[in-house]
Amino acid sequence: MQTDKRILIPTDFSDNAWNTIVYAMQLYKGSSCQFDIVHVYDVHPSQLATTLSSQRIGFFQDLIKKESEAGLNSILDDISNSYPDSTHVFNTHSRKGDFVEVIRDMVNTQTYELICIGTKGATGARALFLGSNTHSLIKNVDRCPILVIPDEVNFSPIRSIVFATDFERIYYKAEIKPIKKIAKQFGAKVCMLHIYDAPSLSHVQNYNSGALDNYFKNLEYDFYVVPNFSGVAKGIASFIDEEDVEMLAMINYKHSFLEELMREAVIKKITFNTKIPFLVIPSDT
């Protein structure tokens, strides 16, 4: 079946990873999509050589690969039993290697509309899989938007999207496009949020906000300005709680809100603590 969109979904077979798949299926319900579900496993023989012979290492690697493939087949069974949309196609990929490098390679060789990833992985040895790698993807994958799905979030129609920005640079159509697509699909309002230090916008900020005004002119939107009393992260979180929005969006560019949050390690708090999906859009420059 020829599909209009391709969505990449990493999984570690945890409940949160399954919830991410379900969320993505609901987000694109009624849209022709191919979902590529990938499990990445990494085995370092050098770390095992002290206790295992080379023959046993090879056996262990084969076992991990088979477990990966079996887990993906189980996901396909679960999807089939959940009455998927007839316009959706599901492919699975079992890949050995570094998680971020594998995802980057897939994004560089295929055109994906979105990467959907959960914030928390399985317990025990795999506990850091999605937690640490979500952060790594945001820092290192710059050719595809990333939608981070918080743990245990159930899908609900997107009525409003908060777009957090500092208005410090000009915006490009390609950067705004992912927000507009979701807003159009659900008839959602776009809430452009600025957390400010100064009481008024500079000439540059006014100019850039005017460009956004033009980009969103065919959608419902509004500008919101909130004083920076307790930091950018808390300001965004408070706005989300007060306005009851369904999605947070940021553009990842140099000196952006997002870079500031990542530099201060606050990005992890947003990723793990927000109650709504977090859309990270790469810069077009």
Side-chain angles (χ1 to χ4, degrees):
M1 178 190 297
Q2 186 68 33
T3 56
D4 297 330
K5 305 178 182 71
R6 295 185 73 154
I7 312 300
L8 181 59
I9 310 177
T11 182
D12 68 344
F13 309 130
S14 65
D15 289 343
N16 180 239
W18 169 248
N19 185 62
T20 299
I21 294 172
V22 173
Y23 188 97
M25 291 166 60
Q26 291 295 316
L27 182 66
Y28 288 100
K29 187 175 183 180
S31 297
S32 175
C33 288
Q34 175 177 309
F35 295 92
D36 286 355
I37 303 170
V38 58
H39 176 248
V40 182
Y41 63 94
D42 203 1
V43 181
H44 299 284
S46 60
Q47 297 174 351
L48 305 173
T50 55
T51 57
L52 296 175
S53 66
S54 59
Q55 183 179 10
R56 293 291 294 170
I57 290 173
F59 173 79
F60 182 74
Q61 290 176 328
D62 289 342
L63 180 62
I64 296 296
K65 179 177 177 60
K66 289 178 181 178
E67 287 182 348
S68 174
E69 292 171 346
L72 290 169
N73 287 332
S74 179
I75 286 177
L76 290 179
D77 289 340
D78 290 339
I79 290 172
S80 179
N81 292 331
S82 64
Y83 303 101
D85 195 302
S86 60
T87 63
H88 291 174
V89 175
F90 300 89
N91 292 334
T92 60
H93 306 265
S94 176
R95 299 285 180 89
K96 177 184 174 183
D98 175 78
F99 175 78
V100 173
E101 289 302 316
V102 168
I103 300 301
R104 286 181 67 178
D105 180 66
M106 295 183 73
V107 168
N108 289 338
T109 54
Q110 299 288 344
T111 301
Y112 286 100
E113 174 109 345
L114 196 67
I115 299 171
C116 290
I117 186 168
T119 57
K120 294 175 68 176
T123 57
R126 295 177 179 173
L128 295 178
F129 182 87
L130 287 179
S132 62
N133 282 303
T134 298
H135 187 221
S136 295
L137 282 187
I138 290 172
K139 289 183 65 177
N140 297 298
V141 174
D142 58 5
R143 295 190 61 179
C144 183
I146 300 169
L147 182 62
V148 181
I149 310 298
D151 192 25
E152 297 182 354
V153 164
N154 294 318
F155 178 82
S156 60
I158 312 298
R159 296 169 299 175
S160 54
I161 303 168
V162 56
F163 172 32
T165 177
D166 54 15
F167 303 124
E168 290 289 353
R169 69 188 278 277
I170 195 70
Y171 300 92
Y172 298 91
K173 288 182 179 180
E175 297 169 342
I176 303 301
K177 189 176 180 180
I179 301 174
K180 290 183 66 175
K181 277 188 173 183
I182 294 175
K184 284 183 178 180
Q185 180 181 348
F186 292 95
K189 177 182 178 180
V190 178
C191 306
M192 282 170 275
L193 175 66
H194 174 53
I195 311 295
Y196 70 88
D197 291 313
S200 60
L201 297 181
S202 67
H203 174 73
V204 170
Q205 288 175 314
N206 273 314
Y207 180 85
N208 293 333
S209 65
L212 286 175
D213 204 15
N214 184 57
Y215 284 146
F216 291 113
K217 63 183 178 181
N218 294 322
L219 297 170
E220 183 183 1
Y221 70 94
D222 206 348
F223 291 91
Y224 296 84
V225 180
V226 177
N228 188 1
F229 289 133
S230 55
V232 172
K234 288 186 178 179
I236 293 172
S238 296
F239 184 85
I240 289 171
D241 287 340
E242 291 173 7
E243 298 297 324
D244 194 27
V245 296
E246 284 78 33
M247 185 173 289
L248 166 65
M250 290 188 189
I251 298 173
N252 189 11
Y253 59 87
K254 193 172 184 179
H255 304 312
S256 66
F257 271 174
L258 186 57
E259 185 183 80
E260 178 185 345
L261 294 174
M262 292 180 75
R263 185 174 59 250
E264 297 174 354
V266 180
I267 183 66
K268 289 187 176 180
K269 295 180 181 179
I270 285 185
T271 301
F272 282 88
N273 291 341
T274 183
K275 300 175 183 178
I276 61 175
F278 180 17
L279 178 63
V280 179
I281 303 165
S283 168
D284 194 39
T285 55

